[in-house]
Amino acid sequence: MSKILAIAKRELRSYFVSPLAYVVAAFFMAAVGFLFFAILTSTREASMRTLFQNMAVVFLLLVPALTMRLLAEERKTGTIELLMTSPVTDEAIVFGKYLATVTYLLFLMGLTLVFPLSLVAIGGKPEWPLVWTGYLATTLMGASLMAIGLMASSFTNNVIVSALVAFVISLIIWLLPAIGGTFGSPISEAFQYMSIISHLENMARGVIDSSDLLYYLSVIGTCLLVTVRSVNVYHWR
Amino acid sequence: MIEVQNLTKRYGDRTAVSGISLTVAKGEILGFLGPNGAGKSTTMKMITGFLSPSEGKVTVGGYDMAEQPLEAKALIGYLPEVVPLYPDMSVSDYLNFVASLKGIPASEIAERVDYVVKRCWLEDYRNRLISHLSKGYRQRVGLAQALIHKPPVLILDEPTSGLDPRQINETRELIRQLSGDHTVILSTHILPEVQNLCHRVLIINKGHEVAEDRPENLEHKLKGNQTVVMEVAGPEAGVREALMAVPGIRHLTITPRTNHDAGILDIKAETDPTDAVRAGLASAVVGKGWDLLELRAARLSLEDIFIRLTTAEAPVAEQATGSALSATAGS
């Protein structure tokens, strides 16, 4: 456990000593802030629900940039050899990395608390339960995208390829309902269920359905398992 | 301490390492010697558990690397060929990270970092970013990293590469001091390093073990050969044919000179250690009417042994392995 934490800590440090963490945070806040402003002024409705969906779109673009280096760069520079010859399991390496990026995600989500709080500051009374389920859903969806990104990063030692693969996989899962719409109804429904965005919409309505939670947790679980297998294969190359 | 049996690594059709076996006792320094691409690094990667062997078995301190990798890896300090450094970290942050990765209890980390920083002459560089260090200092950080958890086994892949002559001497001295409590395998293509550091040498070529012995024995044993250096003016093919026909000759290298000396051949022949062979060589040349400009017997240095073992054709290599094994058994 302490080794998982050591790996996570080092990874987080490297986020924050490089400009990346700040550039991503600044871009994220600027984009989400602008969208928030646009929602407020155009609909004259202080809705957090639309904002959560918008955040999800921003994640789709940003997460690959956050996850692309995780394993790809370790392999490229050879530092993976240090990790894999230390008394640490492959699982611990993967979980440590994942823990670091999810911590960064929580940091980003924490920053966005200024939006509901700004509503309070101008005398609004947000429906807090709805806000919290929205946060839970958005965080879970971001964490799912990060698991996809981490998995993509394990497939290659080229960070650009890693980012592209992460983006393409995320986009396909995102667009599944649109793809499914071209088929008959049972397939269409299945595709709807597999889409990463439809569950966010459900939860942002304030309903915590176990099938939505299960969906995100199984995406995360599957990606992490594939990542562990993929790291395992490094031993054979 | 380290036991390796029949270690083999195949990549598709290509065999990188083929059937290497070795045993290293506690406190011993074993040198891997071989040209670039011989399979030294691949062998080390398999011993440290980074690569899984296609065949064979690695046991470190009684733990099978395939069965109990965590226990086995905990005993090993490893300096890979490419030093695994995070350029965005300072030297002490990096060493702290490696220390916790190796499972050193938090209360002992500071003390261990102090120790390796001193041991590897990094005191003035503790807070330096690794990206700002020169190659020599990075190599030292790599060594410090390998030592941090007091590993009983050290695997060092070209530990002196990139160092200046003074640093090379310091590093060798350090390795020699460490060998008391640590079992060391190091790889190198620098011969003096093997001669003055290693208790035993394993020469690897094209993934095969070519010879294994004490450095002085290797030299001694192959001194049973004699090397004859000749200078002859004559046609290369004809000279080769004539000389190979001399009884007692084992191996022949002919280098034609170029430029104004064209037509003169530099010849190195390895032969049985008898005077008759030299007489035979002389008359073979003179008998054909070529000019014999020089003929002398030379002593075979470790360098010659190395070059001969790693360039010799297969049957000769097998012969050498066979005699190396019998020499080991005898010693």
Side-chain angles (χ1 to χ4, degrees):
Chain A
M1 191 61 204
S2 65
K3 292 170 187 170
I4 297 181
L5 286 179
I7 292 169
K9 215 173 96 192
R10 196 212 63 76
E11 200 62 52
L12 261 182
R13 271 190 83 261
S14 89
Y15 272 141
F16 284 100
V17 295
S18 79
L20 184 78
Y22 304 102
V23 172
V24 166
F27 178 78
F28 178 72
M29 286 306 282
V32 177
F34 172 76
L35 293 166
F36 186 60
F37 171 78
I39 293 163
L40 284 187
T41 50
S42 66
T43 64
R44 309 213 143 264
E45 186 188 348
S47 159
M48 287 295 290
R49 189 170 135 199
T50 331
L51 188 67
F52 287 127
Q53 284 170 9
N54 289 325
M55 275 194 222
V57 180
V58 180
F59 277 150
L60 180 68
L61 300 171
L62 281 186
V63 165
L66 287 169
T67 55
M68 62 185 182
R69 291 167 56 248
L70 289 173
L71 285 158
E73 188 152 286
E74 299 257 7
R75 273 172 81 198
K76 191 175 185 145
T77 61
T79 46
I80 193 79
E81 210 168 339
L82 169 67
L83 300 180
M84 293 179 76
T85 55
S86 292
V88 183
T89 57
D90 295 347
E91 286 83 356
I93 296 173
V94 171
F95 293 152
K97 299 257 164 196
Y98 188 62
L99 189 61
T101 111
V102 169
T103 308
Y104 182 78
L105 174 72
L106 293 176
F107 159 74
L108 281 187
M109 294 307 290
L111 290 181
T112 65
L113 282 173
V114 300
F115 301 119
L117 289 177
S118 71
L119 293 179
V120 175
I122 57 172
K125 290 195 181 63
E127 269 185 71
W128 284 109
L130 208 60
V131 172
W132 294 131
T133 49
Y135 266 103
L136 177 65
T138 316
T139 308
L140 277 174
M141 123 122 216
S144 306
L145 290 177
M146 283 178 149
I148 293 171
L150 177 61
M151 178 179 76
S153 182
S154 74
F155 292 158
T156 167
N157 55 16
N158 181 320
V159 288
I160 305 293
V161 172
S162 153
L164 272 176
V165 170
F167 181 71
V168 168
I169 295 177
S170 314
L171 196 64
I172 289 174
I173 298 185
W174 194 284
L175 295 178
L176 277 177
I179 302 168
T182 59
F183 299 100
S185 81
I187 298 177
S188 165
E189 263 168 47
F191 276 36
Q192 185 75 31
Y193 180 76
M194 285 191 287
S195 158
I196 204 160
I197 192 77
S198 58
H199 299 276
L200 177 67
E201 284 160 4
N202 292 345
M203 286 177 80
R205 272 186 224 121
V207 191
I208 300 184
D209 189 334
S210 58
S211 91
D212 296 325
L213 287 179
L214 196 67
Y215 170 82
Y216 285 124
L217 294 179
S218 54
V219 169
I220 293 170
T222 309
C223 289
L224 292 185
L225 277 179
V226 174
T227 311
V228 169
R229 284 305 304 154
S230 158
V231 168
N232 231 286
V233 169
Y234 300 166
H235 285 298
W236 297 99
R237 280 201 277 248
Chain B
M1 199 67 207
I2 307 171
E3 238 188 283
V4 169
Q5 288 163 19
N6 189 32
L7 208 58
T8 302
K9 183 76 183 173
R10 274 184 229 99
Y11 294 101
D13 292 343
R14 199 171 64 83
T15 304
V17 172
S18 172
I20 296 223
S21 299
L22 56 94
T23 315
V24 194
K26 185 174 183 311
E28 201 178 13
I29 307 182
L30 173 74
F32 278 4
L33 193 60
N36 289 327
K40 303 189 296 277
S41 289
T42 308
T43 307
M44 292 184 139
K45 281 173 205 256
M46 287 192 280
I47 296 175
T48 54
F50 180 59
L51 287 180
S52 302
S54 312
E55 263 172 50
K57 190 172 150 184
V58 174
T59 315
V60 178
Y63 296 109
D64 184 331
M65 186 55 85
E67 305 286 331
Q68 292 169 287
L70 297 189
E71 287 82 355
K73 285 173 183 175
L75 302 178
I76 301 177
Y78 175 39
L79 173 66
E81 191 177 16
V82 180
V83 187
L85 301 174
Y86 296 98
D88 58 10
M89 294 180 107
S90 72
V91 171
S92 61
D93 283 343
Y94 172 73
L95 293 174
N96 274 302
F97 165 64
V98 179
S100 36
L101 201 59
K102 303 285 178 188
I104 301 178
S107 56
E108 292 168 28
I109 288 181
E111 179 202 329
R112 287 304 300 166
V113 171
D114 279 347
Y115 172 77
V116 293
V117 159
K118 261 198 209 91
R119 200 83 216 241
C120 301
W121 310 282
L122 288 162
E123 280 117 322
D124 298 338
Y125 295 85
R126 290 186 78 123
N127 299 316
R128 208 64 89 77
L129 273 187
I130 288 171
S131 58
H132 294 169
L133 294 180
S134 66
K135 177 102 172 49
Y137 278 96
R138 287 174 187 220
Q139 196 76 22
R140 289 179 180 191
V141 178
L143 203 57
Q145 162 275 123
L147 293 174
I148 197 141
H149 54 303
K150 294 186 209 160
V153 171
L154 278 175
I155 312 278
L156 309 172
D157 202 346
E158 304 200 353
T160 56
S161 85
L163 301 181
D164 66 35
R166 194 176 52 88
Q167 293 170 334
I168 289 182
N169 278 332
E170 288 172 351
T171 307
R172 283 186 195 153
E173 189 46 43
L174 174 64
I175 294 172
R176 200 174 292 124
Q177 288 169 14
L178 291 171
S179 71
D181 328 317
H182 303 256
T183 304
V184 184
I185 297 184
L186 63 87
S187 77
T188 180
H189 48 241
I190 309 167
L191 285 145
E193 199 152 290
V194 167
Q195 262 160 331
N196 60 35
L197 202 55
C198 300
H199 302 126
R200 259 189 316 138
V201 196
L202 185 88
I203 300 184
I204 303 180
N205 188 38
K206 293 180 184 155
H208 289 270
E209 177 181 326
V210 185
E212 193 229 309
D213 211 332
R214 299 177 161 277
E216 59 270 23
N217 285 1
L218 272 181
E219 217 171 326
H220 194 72
K221 184 178 68 219
L222 282 160
K223 251 188 274 170
N225 286 357
Q226 85 180 329
T227 301
V228 181
V229 175
M230 300 169 75
E231 223 177 277
V232 173
E236 188 182 342
V239 171
R240 176 179 291 277
E241 196 185 330
L243 293 184
M244 284 310 280
V246 174
I249 196 144
R250 292 181 187 166
H251 190 255
L252 198 61
T253 323
I254 301 186
T255 326
R257 288 197 195 162
T258 49
N259 302 336
H260 57 274
D261 277 346
I264 295 181
L265 306 171
D266 281 319
I267 299 169
K268 240 184 185 182
E270 269 177 51
T271 68
D272 292 346
T274 57
D275 294 341
V277 184
R278 264 178 297 160
L281 288 171
S283 51
V285 173
V286 176
K288 295 273 186 179
W290 299 314
D291 293 335
L292 179 60
L293 303 175
E294 185 185 355
L295 189 151
R296 64 186 162 87
R299 181 174 165 271
L300 207 58
S301 74
L302 193 54
E303 193 144 1
D304 296 316
I305 298 170
F306 174 59
I307 289 171
R308 180 163 100 56
L309 285 175
T310 53
T311 51
E313 50 272 45
V316 180
E318 266 166 31
Q319 203 184 346
T321 315
S323 56
L325 287 178
S326 57
T328 316
S331 66

